[in-house]
């Protein structure tokens, strides 16, 4: 992305969280409605069946994560709808525009795909929609680059970044799940997009916000904006992920007012 004249801005920002989300041992689940969705509703594998699709699926997840199956925990599908809450707080767009959903991992509820559900329930004037999953920690800033070439800045776009790991280790369960809703517009907005990338960010930022996972520093930036801590002209660095895999976006605060996102 060029660091020349800004063509894209973040015009509104909203955040939703779920504290202490509930995870369970999927091997011991006898709720067929909970687990059957993993296989489109036709898997009948039970806890006492060593073979079967459920056992094979969980074994593959354990191999991929490098953890023993006994340590694997799965997010329950009946928790808070942080994705819907973040969109509700952001509010509808001023006119028809595209919508992109970026998830760090898989859909939380396998029986109800998040993207069509959110588009249907919002009843917003969506021109086209796009869903991306399994982007890990990179999604929270990579979406900025995506919007910059995918959407027309004059009509804008809405992006929703959801970080709610479907699987986690028993000793390292996340204490919070986060969703960040971003509305993009042209370069006249309150947060000009200057650059975006991975690895080492450019020097010279006046403020830096960072955090774990795909949503990274966006919640901290949201808090700072609503506390009026940033001045026009400030160069703002938002970073997502860990030191080993960190991405970033560089913004500049202007005198324009932030949108209605809460």
């Amino acid at each position: 992305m060029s660091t020349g004249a800004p063509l894209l801005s973040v015009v509104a920002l909203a955040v939703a969280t779920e504290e202490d989300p509930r995870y369970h041992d999927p091997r011991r689940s006898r709720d067929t409605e909970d687990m059957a969705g993993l296989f489109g509703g036709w898997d009948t594998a039970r806890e006492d069946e060593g073979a079967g699709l459920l056992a094979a699926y969980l074994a593959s997840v354990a191999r991929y994560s490098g953890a023993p199956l006994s340590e694997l925990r799965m997010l329950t599908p009946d928790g808070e709808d942080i994705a819907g809450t973040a969109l509700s707080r952001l509010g509808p767009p001023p006119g028809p525009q595209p919508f992109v959903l970026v998830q760090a991992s898989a859909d939380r509820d396998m029986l109800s795909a998040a993207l069509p559900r959110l588009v249907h329930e919002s009843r917003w004037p969506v021109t086209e929609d796009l869903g991306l999953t399994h982007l890990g920690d990179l999604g929270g800033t990579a979406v900025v680059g995506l919007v910059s070439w995918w959407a027309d800045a004059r009509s804008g776009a809405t992006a929703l970044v959801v970080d709610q790991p479907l699987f986690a280790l028993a000793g390292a369960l996340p204490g919070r799940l986060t969703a960040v809703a971003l509305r993009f517009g042209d370069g006249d907005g309150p947060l000009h997009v200057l650059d975006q990338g991975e690895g080492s960010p450019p020097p010279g930022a006046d403020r830096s916000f960072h955090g774990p996972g795909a949503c990274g520093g966006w919640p901290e930036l949201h808090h700072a904006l609503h506390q009026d801590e940033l001045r026009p002209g400030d160069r703002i660095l938002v970073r997502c992920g860990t030191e080993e895999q960190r991405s970033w976006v560089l913004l500049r605060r202007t005198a324009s007012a932030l949108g209605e996102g809460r």
Side-chain angles (χ1 to χ4, degrees):
M1 185 182 297
S2 171
T3 55
L7 300 177
L8 187 70
S9 287
V10 177
V11 299
L13 172 63
V15 175
T17 61
E18 177 183 353
E19 304 295 331
D20 299 318
R22 189 164 63 94
Y23 282 78
H24 69 280
D25 186 341
R27 302 171 305 157
R28 299 193 175 126
S29 175
R30 293 191 177 274
D31 184 346
T32 55
E33 291 186 0
D34 259 8
M35 304 305 294
L38 287 168
F39 307 98
W42 53 266
D43 176 32
T44 58
R46 303 291 297 200
E47 178 186 3
D48 56 352
E49 295 180 81
L53 293 173
L54 176 59
Y57 176 76
L58 295 176
S60 69
V61 173
R63 285 195 301 271
Y64 178 79
S65 65
L69 184 57
S70 60
E71 294 296 308
L72 205 62
R73 297 295 181 267
M74 184 176 180
L75 182 64
T76 60
D78 57 353
E80 297 179 28
D81 181 16
I82 57 173
T85 300
L87 283 183
S88 176
R89 290 175 177 174
L90 185 71
Q97 61 178 218
F99 171 71
V100 57
L101 171 64
V102 176
Q103 299 188 86
S105 59
D107 281 336
R108 178 172 191 159
D109 186 349
M110 297 297 181
L111 294 176
S112 177
L115 179 59
R117 177 181 63 81
L118 291 168
V119 171
H120 172 74
E121 292 178 354
S122 71
R123 301 191 182 277
W124 290 357
V126 174
T127 56
E128 54 183 322
D129 55 68
L130 178 65
L132 302 173
T133 63
H134 300 83
L135 287 186
D137 293 348
L138 302 181
T141 54
V143 69
V144 179
L146 170 67
V147 169
S148 70
W149 62 259
W150 177 54
D152 184 343
R154 292 170 297 181
S155 59
T158 297
L160 179 63
V161 181
V162 182
D163 192 1
Q164 48 182 16
L166 184 59
F167 291 97
L169 299 182
L173 299 179
R176 173 184 296 167
L177 308 180
T178 307
V180 173
L182 299 158
R183 176 145 299 130
F184 295 92
D186 61 25
D188 293 329
L191 292 170
H192 287 173
V193 176
L194 301 180
D195 203 358
Q196 178 267 326
E198 299 177 22
S200 299
D206 299 295
R207 295 290 302 273
S208 179
F209 301 95
H210 59 88
C215 293
W218 289 111
E220 287 187 1
L221 172 59
H222 173 265
H223 177 78
L225 287 166
H226 285 272
Q227 294 299 312
D228 201 25
E229 297 177 4
L230 303 173
R231 301 168 298 176
D234 279 352
R235 288 165 58 91
I236 303 161
L237 186 68
V238 177
R239 295 185 292 173
C240 300
T242 62
E243 292 292 346
E244 293 77 16
Q245 189 181 40
R246 176 164 285 177
S247 60
W248 52 268
V249 59
L250 184 65
L251 309 166
R252 183 173 64 235
R253 182 70 169 107
T254 74
S256 299
L258 194 69
E260 292 299 320
R262 305 189 297 280

